[in-house]
């Protein structure tokens, strides 16, 4: 599918001397050639097309506007008389048409404020912003130009994997370098000017996959999500394994090796060091219980002291229970606070959205904006019919932007205050918990003293009592250890189960992804590229070894990147062949190729490519795209008429002086 057709480019420069410089370049279906000498403004026209579409980032890294000073400082009226004029105002207008034959003109200022693009459709104008303001950028906001352009082109750009493992939108700037070859850096390699600042994983391959409609973004996103789940399970597995190891070191117990998450069997065996060998923990516990029973039969008792000790233990149990309740209450409050934070984020995004509207107004937009009453601006729930009977799905003039911003700001502050209240309550609970811990420490000390007193009462049997206490302590340590490790093991079993289910899904999806890598579309593109290489006089006789890599989806020779295997002029021909093959493939209505609709070659005769090759390029483009698609070339080649190509079907535009000329 060819998304766009360029109809006409207009560049206008006003000067302080009231002299107006401009140019109007019409484009048609098929081949369009702009012929002018060097430094006449050919690249200015090419850059103006990208600039009008808000895609100047595909022209390479720029510190300022992608234009010479003649568009925003001083301009000369010819190359001969040298009269200069001071620029006061300049802008570019580009008339475009989509595949539904809807025609619009986009206008963008050059010298003045340039982050607004005005769209004019049948006399109705609407301003859209570029770049990012607030939490939404131009590609996502309903007031962003790239979001409008995406819809105008009939595209729906997917979410693709980000380098950090999350999802990010596939931006237009990542795709258009496939169609747009500028002169300075564009000929250095295929997709030379793809911006990498968006953090898209495998951005060049991802862009080609989208254009060829062989994208498996949904599968890749699912794979990415599953891989994150696997990584999370493995991280948790490692954490719990380390926790068990630390607990064993603290308790002076040993354990059998914990294997990787996919190989571990349960239960895990624990041991206590014996005289000659390690003893299983459950065996040691039974032995200690028998020894304790024997000691109890030989130790006399003091009922009063024992009762006091038991009362103290009851008091400690009550403290433990109280602490547990406080911790549970704290956990509940933290959950509520988390929900409040989510609501604050929603309100913050709405606040940013209205601030963007306010920004557009302050940037100079005079358009009236309307608000759709489909949902509540605070909670984002759908409004019921009885709340707005006659206004359902209708646009009305909203409150002023300042009123909207103030209203949402009040809601935002209200929810923030609730969050602060919860924080204060959690802080209070933390204080109570600390107080309880201090009391617990005191009561534990009392119990220890009572137990010491109990030992002193029985002077002659002190040793027996201490032995009994030591046995009780060892048994208690084992029981506490078993309880803690049981909780760890329970979580390990759940993790292993989740990991195994996730890994099976991951393996199946990965196999499905690999099975689709060699599609018929790639084979067709490969054959078209090889045909073009032969037509353009590629120097080697081994054209069949120039293929499309299944890993990068870019041309390769004998498995290596072709840029390292060929001469500079042959690589230029490869760029011609590959780029035009994409456009030719997109003209096939049976395929769902997503193409911009045009290719632009700024000075395609690079590295002294043979005149015959240029002739073949022009002849091919004129014939293949006669009825569908656009090829737009600029050249300083002086003798176009000497070529054997038939220019009757081509739109050849000659300029003898500067392309921007003064209008009387």
């Amino acid at each position: 599918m060819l998304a766009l057709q360029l109809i006409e480019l207009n560049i206008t420069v006003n000067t302080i001397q009231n002299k107006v410089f401009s140019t109007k370049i019409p484009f048609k279906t098929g081949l369009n050639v702009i012929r002018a000498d060097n430094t006449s403004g050919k690249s200015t026209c090419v850059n103006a097309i990208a600039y009008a579409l808000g895609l100047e980032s595909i022209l390479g890294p720029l510190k300022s506007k992608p234009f010479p000073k003649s568009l925003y400082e001083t301009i000369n009226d010819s190359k001969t008389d040298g009269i200069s004029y001071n620029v006061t105002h300049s802008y570019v207008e580009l008339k475009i048409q989509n595949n539904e034959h809807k025609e619009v003109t986009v206008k963008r200022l050059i010298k003045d404020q340039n982050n607004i693009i005005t769209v004019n459709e049948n006399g109705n104008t609407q301003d859209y912003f570029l770049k990012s303001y607030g939490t939404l950028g131009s590609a996502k906001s309903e007031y962003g130009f790239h979001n409008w352009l995406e819809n105008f082109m009939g595209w729906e750009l997917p979410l693709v994997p980000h380098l950090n493992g999350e999802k990010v939108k596939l931006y237009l700037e990542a795709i258009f370098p496939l169609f747009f070859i500028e002169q300075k850096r564009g000929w250095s390699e295929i997709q030379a000017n793809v911006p990498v600042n968006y953090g898209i994983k495998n951005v060049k391959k991802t862009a080609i996959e989208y254009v060829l409609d062989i994208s498996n973004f949904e599968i890749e996103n699912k794979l990415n999500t599953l891989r994150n789940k696997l990584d999370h399970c493995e991280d948790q597995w490692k954490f719990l394994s380390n926790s068990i190891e630390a607990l064993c070191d603290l308790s002076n117990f040993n354990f059998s090796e914990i294997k990787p998450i996919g190989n571990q069997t349960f239960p895990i065996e624990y041991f206590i060091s014996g005289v000659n060998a390690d003893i299983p923990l459950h065996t040691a516990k039974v032995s200690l219980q028998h020894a304790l029973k024997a000691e109890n039969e030989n130790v006399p008792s003091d009922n009063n002291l024992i009762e006091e000790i038991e009362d103290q233990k009851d008091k400690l149990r009550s403290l433990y229970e109280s602490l547990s309740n406080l911790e549970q209450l704290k956990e509940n409050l933290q959950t509520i606070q988390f929900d409040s934070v989510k609501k604050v984020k929603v309100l913050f995004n709405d606040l940013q959205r209205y601030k963007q509207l306010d920004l557009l107004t302050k940037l100079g937009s005079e358009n009236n904006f309307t608000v759709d009453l489909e949902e509540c601006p605070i909670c984002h729930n759908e409004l019921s019919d009885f709340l707005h009977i006659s206004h359902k799905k209708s646009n009305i003039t909203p409150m002023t932007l300042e009123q909207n911003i103030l209203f949402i700001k009040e809601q935002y502050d209200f929810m923030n205050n609730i969050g602060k209240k919860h924080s204060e309550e959690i802080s209070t609970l933390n204080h109570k918990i600390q107080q309880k811990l201090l009391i617990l420490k005191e009561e534990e000390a009392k119990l220890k003293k009572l137990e010491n007193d109990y030992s002193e009462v029985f002077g002659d049997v002190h040793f027996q009592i201490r032995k009994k206490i030591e046995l009780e302590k060892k048994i208690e340590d084992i029981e506490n250890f078993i309880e803690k490790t049981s909780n760890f093991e329970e979580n390990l079993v759940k993790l292993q189960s989740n990991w195994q289910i996730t890994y099976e899904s991951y393996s199946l999806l990965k196999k499905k992804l690999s099975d689709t890598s060699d599609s018929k579309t790639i084979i067709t593109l490969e054959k078209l590229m090889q045909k073009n290489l032969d037509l353009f006089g590629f120097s080697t006789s081994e054209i069949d070894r120039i293929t499309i890599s299944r890993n990068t989806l870019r041309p390769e020779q004998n498995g290596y990147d072709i840029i390292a295997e060929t001469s500079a002029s042959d690589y230029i021909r490869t760029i011609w062949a590959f780029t035009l093959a994409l456009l030719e493939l997109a003209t096939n209505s049976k395929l769902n190729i997503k193409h911009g609709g045009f290719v632009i070659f700024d000075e395609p005769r690079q590295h002294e490519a043979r005149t015959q090759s240029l002739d073949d390029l022009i002849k091919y483009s004129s014939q293949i795209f006669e009825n569908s698609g656009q090829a737009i070339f600029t050249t300083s080649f002086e003798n176009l008429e000497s070529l054997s190509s038939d220019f009757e079907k081509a739109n050849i535009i000659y300029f003898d002086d500067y392309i921007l000329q003064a209008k009387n």
Side-chain angles (χ1 to χ4, degrees):
M1 179 181 72
L2 303 179
L4 295 175
Q5 180 174 346
L6 305 185
I7 306 298
E8 186 178 83
L9 172 69
N10 288 281
I11 304 175
T12 302
V13 177
N14 295 319
T15 66
I16 196 169
Q17 293 89 348
N18 292 324
K19 201 159 192 175
V20 178
F21 293 79
S22 66
T23 188
K24 179 181 292 187
I25 301 177
F27 301 108
K28 72 172 191 176
T29 302
L31 176 63
N32 300 265
V33 179
I34 301 174
R35 192 275 163 214
D37 292 335
N38 290 328
T39 69
S40 297
K42 300 186 301 297
S43 293
T44 296
C45 295
V46 167
N47 293 354
I49 294 173
Y51 184 77
L53 296 175
L55 299 172
E56 61 267 26
S57 62
I58 69 172
L59 302 174
L62 300 167
K63 295 182 179 179
S64 59
K65 305 178 183 71
F67 298 113
K69 293 182 179 180
S70 57
L71 268 67
Y72 55 90
E73 286 189 7
T74 59
I75 187 170
N76 295 335
D77 58 1
S78 74
K79 291 185 176 183
T80 55
D81 60 22
I83 299 177
S84 297
Y85 298 86
N86 297 320
V87 177
T88 60
H89 183 67
S90 57
Y91 59 90
V92 58
E93 293 177 302
L94 181 66
K95 186 180 293 186
I96 56 178
Q97 178 180 284
N98 64 11
N99 55 23
E100 295 179 350
H101 303 289
K102 182 183 292 185
E103 192 173 291
V104 301
T105 298
V106 294
K107 177 180 178 181
R108 187 178 178 188
L109 303 183
I110 296 174
K111 177 177 172 62
D112 304 308
Q113 174 60 251
N114 55 71
N115 285 335
I116 284 183
I117 295 182
T118 301
V119 177
N120 187 321
E121 181 179 358
N122 298 325
N124 298 317
T125 61
Q126 175 67 56
D127 291 338
Y128 296 93
F129 71 84
L130 289 170
K131 300 183 180 180
S132 297
Y133 295 97
T135 58
L136 289 179
S138 173
K140 298 178 182 178
S141 172
E142 61 182 303
Y143 307 110
F145 177 74
H146 283 166
N147 180 58
W148 172 87
L149 182 59
E150 176 187 339
N151 293 328
F152 184 75
M153 294 169 66
W155 287 5
E156 186 175 351
L157 295 174
L159 296 175
V160 296
H162 190 276
L163 292 173
N164 63 12
E166 298 180 357
K167 296 177 184 178
V168 64
K169 189 168 186 176
L170 179 62
Y171 295 103
L172 292 172
E173 294 94 326
I175 300 172
F176 267 79
L178 285 166
F179 323 137
F180 205 109
I181 316 295
E182 55 86 29
Q183 184 179 3
K184 290 185 179 179
R185 297 178 69 251
W187 297 105
S188 60
E189 64 167 316
I190 292 172
Q191 299 171 280
N193 289 329
V194 171
V196 296
N197 56 299
Y198 296 119
I200 298 173
K201 188 176 181 181
N202 297 323
V203 59
K204 293 184 178 181
K205 180 183 179 182
T206 299
I208 299 175
E209 285 177 333
Y210 178 75
V211 169
L212 295 181
D213 194 38
I214 59 170
S215 57
N216 293 293
F217 301 131
E218 185 176 350
I219 293 179
E220 289 177 358
N221 283 328
K222 287 181 180 178
L223 274 175
N224 197 51
T225 300
L226 291 173
R227 182 66 262 175
N228 288 339
K229 288 183 179 179
L230 290 174
D231 290 342
H232 177 73
C233 287
E234 290 164 9
D235 289 343
Q236 289 296 307
W237 182 271
K238 185 176 181 180
F239 172 78
L240 291 172
S241 299
N242 291 339
S243 298
I244 290 176
E245 183 178 357
L247 184 59
C248 286
D249 291 342
L250 184 65
S251 305
N252 201 24
F253 296 146
N254 301 322
F255 67 101
S256 58
E257 179 187 7
I258 299 180
K259 299 177 182 178
I261 190 169
N263 303 324
Q264 180 64 38
T265 58
F266 294 96
I268 299 172
E269 295 291 336
Y270 302 96
F271 306 92
I272 190 170
S273 297
V275 177
N276 298 317
D278 286 344
I279 304 170
L281 206 56
H282 65 277
T283 302
K285 179 183 175 183
V286 172
S287 298
L288 289 170
Q289 287 173 332
H290 286 315
L292 179 61
K293 183 179 180 182
E295 292 296 331
N296 284 333
E297 292 175 353
N298 296 326
V299 176
S301 63
D302 185 318
N303 292 332
N304 291 333
L305 190 53
I306 292 174
E307 185 176 334
E308 192 172 350
I309 290 173
E310 291 301 321
D311 288 343
Q312 186 65 20
K313 288 182 178 180
D314 288 340
K315 185 182 294 185
L316 286 173
R317 280 191 286 271
S318 177
L319 280 171
Y320 292 142
E321 183 178 356
S322 178
L323 268 172
S324 176
N325 291 336
L326 286 173
E327 291 287 357
Q328 181 63 46
L329 182 58
K330 175 183 171 182
E331 183 178 339
N332 293 339
L333 274 174
Q334 287 174 330
T335 300
I336 295 172
Q337 187 184 37
F338 177 77
D339 292 337
S340 297
V341 170
K342 286 174 62 179
K343 292 178 181 178
V344 167
K345 287 182 178 179
V346 171
L347 287 168
F348 179 77
N349 286 335
D350 284 343
L351 186 59
Q352 295 298 315
R353 179 168 169 267
Y354 277 92
K355 284 184 176 181
Q356 289 172 5
L357 289 175
D358 189 40
L359 174 67
L360 277 174
T361 302
K362 290 178 179 178
L363 287 174
S365 175
E366 298 180 353
N367 292 290
N368 292 321
F369 298 100
T370 60
V371 175
D372 192 349
L373 295 180
E374 282 292 320
E375 60 180 29
C376 173
I378 303 305
C379 65
H380 290 273
N381 288 323
E382 184 179 356
L383 293 176
S384 302
D385 289 339
F386 67 85
L387 290 177
H388 53 93
I389 298 172
S390 61
H391 302 290
K392 179 82 172 171
K393 297 183 179 179
S394 65
N395 291 330
I396 65 170
T397 302
M399 293 187 293
T400 65
L401 291 177
E402 290 82 1
Q403 290 172 331
N404 274 293
I405 292 170
L406 179 60
F407 176 70
I408 297 176
K409 178 68 167 57
E410 289 174 350
Q411 297 298 318
Y412 173 75
D413 292 341
F414 174 72
M415 293 306 300
N416 256 340
N417 290 334
I418 291 178
K420 291 178 182 178
K421 180 183 178 184
H422 291 155
S423 297
E424 292 172 358
E425 292 176 351
I426 291 171
S427 177
T428 301
L429 282 175
N430 283 331
H431 180 67
K432 290 182 179 179
I433 290 170
Q434 291 302 317
Q435 288 181 325
K436 288 286 184 182
L437 288 172
L438 291 174
I439 296 172
L440 179 64
K441 186 176 181 181
E442 293 175 358
E443 296 301 326
E444 286 176 336
K446 289 180 182 178
L447 177 62
K448 186 175 181 180
K449 184 177 182 303
L450 287 171
E451 290 173 339
N452 289 337
D453 291 344
Y454 182 83
S455 298
E456 294 297 331
V457 169
F458 301 90
D460 293 337
V461 293
H462 177 76
F463 175 76
Q464 288 177 287
I465 295 173
R466 182 166 295 279
K467 185 177 180 181
K468 173 179 176 291
I469 293 173
E470 288 176 354
L471 289 170
E472 288 177 337
K473 182 68 168 62
K474 287 181 179 179
I475 293 171
E476 183 180 3
D477 287 345
I478 290 175
E479 288 175 343
N480 289 337
F481 177 84
I482 291 174
E483 181 181 358
K484 291 178 180 178
T485 54
S486 294
N487 290 333
F488 284 140
E489 282 192 46
E490 183 180 348
N491 289 329
L492 285 174
V493 170
K494 291 179 180 178
L495 272 176
Q496 187 183 64
S497 176
N498 290 337
W499 184 90
Q500 288 172 339
I501 293 171
T502 304
Y503 185 76
E504 289 175 5
S505 300
Y506 180 81
S507 300
L508 288 173
L509 277 177
K510 200 167 185 180
K511 183 178 184 303
K512 183 178 179 181
L513 186 64
S514 63
D515 290 343
T516 60
S517 62
D518 195 15
S519 71
K520 293 181 180 178
T521 303
I522 297 176
I523 296 172
T524 305
L525 176 65
E526 189 172 77
K527 291 179 179 178
L528 288 173
M529 179 186 70
Q530 291 171 343
K531 177 203 69 174
N532 292 346
L533 286 171
D534 182 51
L535 178 66
F536 299 150
F538 195 79
S539 63
T540 180
S541 61
E542 300 179 343
I543 288 179
D544 58 338
R545 296 191 179 185
I546 310 297
T547 58
I548 300 295
S549 168
R550 273 34 174 193
N551 291 325
T552 66
L553 298 181
R554 286 146 56 89
E556 65 178 9
Q557 183 173 4
N558 297 323
Y560 294 94
D561 191 323
I562 196 169
I563 194 172
E565 296 294 308
T566 62
S567 65
S569 59
D570 276 346
Y571 190 67
I572 295 303
R573 293 179 180 88
T574 304
I575 295 177
W576 294 356
F578 180 80
T579 306
L580 292 172
L582 276 179
L583 180 57
E584 185 175 354
L585 197 66
T587 61
N588 186 341
S589 59
K590 296 180 180 179
L591 299 175
N592 189 30
I593 307 300
K594 298 177 180 65
H595 197 282
F598 58 87
V599 295
I600 293 179
F601 288 170
D602 191 5
E603 290 284 7
R605 190 169 179 259
Q606 299 285 317
H607 299 291
E608 297 302 321
R610 293 186 296 112
T611 302
Q612 182 59 47
S613 296
L614 179 63
D615 187 22
D616 293 334
L617 173 66
I618 291 175
K619 186 182 298 182
Y620 164 84
S621 303
S622 181
Q623 293 173 354
I624 296 298
F625 307 116
E626 179 182 358
N627 299 315
S628 182
Q630 289 178 297
I632 301 171
F633 303 159
T634 70
T635 183
S636 56
F637 187 68
E638 296 180 355
N639 301 311
L640 283 179
E641 297 82 356
S642 66
L643 300 178
S644 62
S645 296
D646 180 7
F647 288 109
E648 289 184 5
K649 299 177 181 178
N651 177 30
I652 311 297
I653 307 168
Y654 290 91
F655 291 96
D656 296 326
D657 204 326
Y658 288 125
I659 292 178
L660 281 168
Q661 286 293 306
K663 305 301 178 183
N664 296 326

